[in-house]
């Protein structure tokens, strides 16, 4: 595939977030907070790659009497869209790091219709991930940017954390992934110290946590469930935090299960490496 010449920095212009804000947020963050984010970044890099090639072409001859040629390469640009309701550094990293690890040459994080100051943990998370291009754009500004990307002949992928229908609709050569997530999670404690609840409170300040099992003091916003494990399983919607020996049971109820030591981590289960690749396929009559 020929490379597409694209400068996102030029396209977003003055909408790019000042580097000084990142430096300030990083300086004001605590060591433990940064450690949680670094663990999340490391886990995501292990999970997604990083990609060791820039393109791939595979030719095959099939028993059915035909041949095929498949080509794939990272898309030219990936956008991660979020708004003021996104305050979790882990969930933002889970959208951002995969694009970087999969070899997308131009990655842009965009706060859509943002109001007021940035949440410092988000800036710190992006600083730690090495994400240099971050912009503040209106919904209209996103549309204009996507028009410019299309005019440049670039192939794109968008991870849309805003949940706004139609923000990227009706565009060719643009893959869009919108996570389905209701911001609730269930926790089961075999022992009082099974999970670091303060770490979970920091990394997901907007989530509704229900804690089952051992009785412990709860951070603000957490609520108590019963001591019964079956009641815990019944409560699970999408996300569960359980001890390692209970993961098998939890996987029957949750799309994402995290064990002790993974408090700062997140992954979007349906966001696979192939999402960030542009694929071409040819079938021919074989020999």
């Amino acid at each position: 595939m020929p490379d597409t010449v694209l400068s996102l920095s030029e396209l977003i212009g003055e909408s790019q977030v000042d580097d000084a804000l990142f430096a300030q947020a990083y300086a004001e963050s605590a060591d433990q907070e940064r450690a949680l984010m670094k663990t999340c970044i490391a886990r995501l890099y292990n999970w997604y790659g990083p990609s060791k090639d820039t393109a791939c072409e595979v030719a095959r001859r099939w028993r059915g009497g035909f041949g095929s040629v498949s080509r794939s390469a990272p898309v030219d640009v990936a956008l991660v869209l979020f708004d003021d309701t996104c305050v979790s550094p882990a969930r933002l990293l889970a959208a951002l790091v995969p694009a970087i690890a999969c070899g997308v040459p131009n990655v842009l994080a965009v706060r859509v219709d943002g109001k007021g100051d940035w949440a410092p943990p988000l800036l710190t998370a992006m600083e730690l991930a090495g994400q240099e291009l971050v912009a503040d754009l209106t919904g209209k500004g996103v549309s204009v940017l996507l028009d410019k990307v299309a005019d440049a002949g670039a192939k794109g992928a968008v991870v849309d954390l805003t949940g706004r229908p139609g923000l990227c609709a009706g565009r060719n050569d643009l893959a869009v992934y919108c996570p389905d997530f209701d911001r609730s999670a269930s926790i089961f404690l075999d022992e009082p110290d099974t999970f670091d609840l303060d770490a979970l409170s920091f990394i997901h300040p907007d989530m509704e946590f229900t804690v089952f099992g051992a009785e412990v003091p709860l951070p603000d916003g957490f609520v108590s469930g019963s001591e019964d494990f079956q009641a815990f399983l019944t409560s699970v919607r999408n996300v569960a935090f359980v001890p390692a020996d209970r993961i098998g049971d939890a996987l029957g109820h949750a799309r994402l299960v995290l064990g002790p030591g993974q408090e700062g981590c997140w992954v979007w289960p349906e966001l696979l490496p192939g999402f960030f690749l542009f694929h071409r396929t040819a079938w021919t009559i074989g020999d």
Side-chain angles (χ1 to χ4, degrees):
M1 286 185 187
D3 292 333
T4 299
V5 178
L6 188 70
S7 173
L8 284 178
S9 183
E10 292 181 5
L11 293 183
I12 61 178
E14 295 181 356
S15 298
Q16 185 168 343
V17 177
D18 195 312
D19 289 343
L21 292 178
F22 292 91
Q24 180 180 350
Y26 183 91
E28 294 176 355
S29 61
D31 290 344
Q32 178 61 24
E33 295 171 352
R34 294 196 297 271
L36 289 169
M37 298 179 206
K38 288 178 181 178
T39 299
C40 183
I41 292 167
R43 297 286 188 273
L44 289 165
Y45 265 104
N46 283 328
W47 186 254
Y48 283 97
S51 176
K52 296 179 177 62
D53 53 37
T54 57
C56 178
E57 179 171 306
V58 178
R60 292 187 175 95
R61 292 184 179 179
W62 299 83
R63 290 181 179 177
F66 70 102
S68 69
V69 177
S70 300
R71 292 180 179 178
S72 64
V75 294
D76 303 300
V77 57
L79 269 61
V80 176
L81 307 179
F82 55 98
D83 56 23
D84 287 334
T85 66
C86 176
V87 292
S88 166
R91 299 204 302 274
L92 178 59
L93 287 170
L96 188 61
V97 172
I100 301 171
C102 291
V104 179
N106 301 284
V107 181
L108 174 64
V110 180
R111 184 175 72 162
V112 183
D113 292 328
K115 306 293 183 184
D117 295 336
W118 279 74
L122 298 186
L123 294 174
T124 302
M126 289 186 283
E127 176 80 1
L128 290 169
Q131 178 58 33
E132 298 179 352
L133 284 177
V134 181
D136 258 319
L137 294 173
T138 63
K140 176 62 177 177
V142 171
S143 180
V144 170
L145 174 62
L146 291 175
D147 286 342
K148 292 178 179 178
V149 169
D151 290 344
K155 306 297 186 292
V158 175
V159 182
D160 183 4
L161 302 182
T162 69
R164 301 186 187 185
L167 190 59
C168 303
R171 295 181 178 274
N172 295 325
D173 295 335
L174 185 67
V176 181
Y177 170 66
C178 299
D180 180 17
F181 174 60
D182 67 0
R183 302 193 186 189
S184 68
S186 299
I187 304 170
F188 192 84
L189 305 177
D190 275 338
E191 302 292 339
D193 60 353
T194 301
F195 286 100
D196 184 340
L197 300 186
D198 290 330
L200 288 173
S201 179
F202 165 75
I203 211 74
H204 300 291
D206 58 337
M207 285 186 67
E208 299 176 0
F209 288 104
T210 304
V211 182
F212 293 79
E215 293 187 11
V216 295
L218 298 180
D220 290 342
F222 286 52
V223 297
S224 294
S226 72
E227 298 180 4
D228 181 62
F229 186 66
Q230 290 303 316
F232 160 81
L233 291 177
T234 301
S235 77
V236 173
R237 297 180 186 176
N238 292 308
V239 184
F241 291 83
V242 297
D245 60 354
R246 296 184 184 270
I247 283 176
D249 291 327
L251 277 172
H253 296 75
R255 291 159 56 203
L256 176 61
V257 179
L258 296 169
Q262 310 297 327
E263 287 91 342
C265 300
W266 194 267
V267 64
W268 298 110
E270 297 86 6
L271 185 58
L272 304 178
F275 175 77
F276 296 101
L277 300 178
F278 186 75
H279 302 268
R280 289 183 170 93
T281 298
W283 285 1
T284 62
I285 297 297
D287 295 335

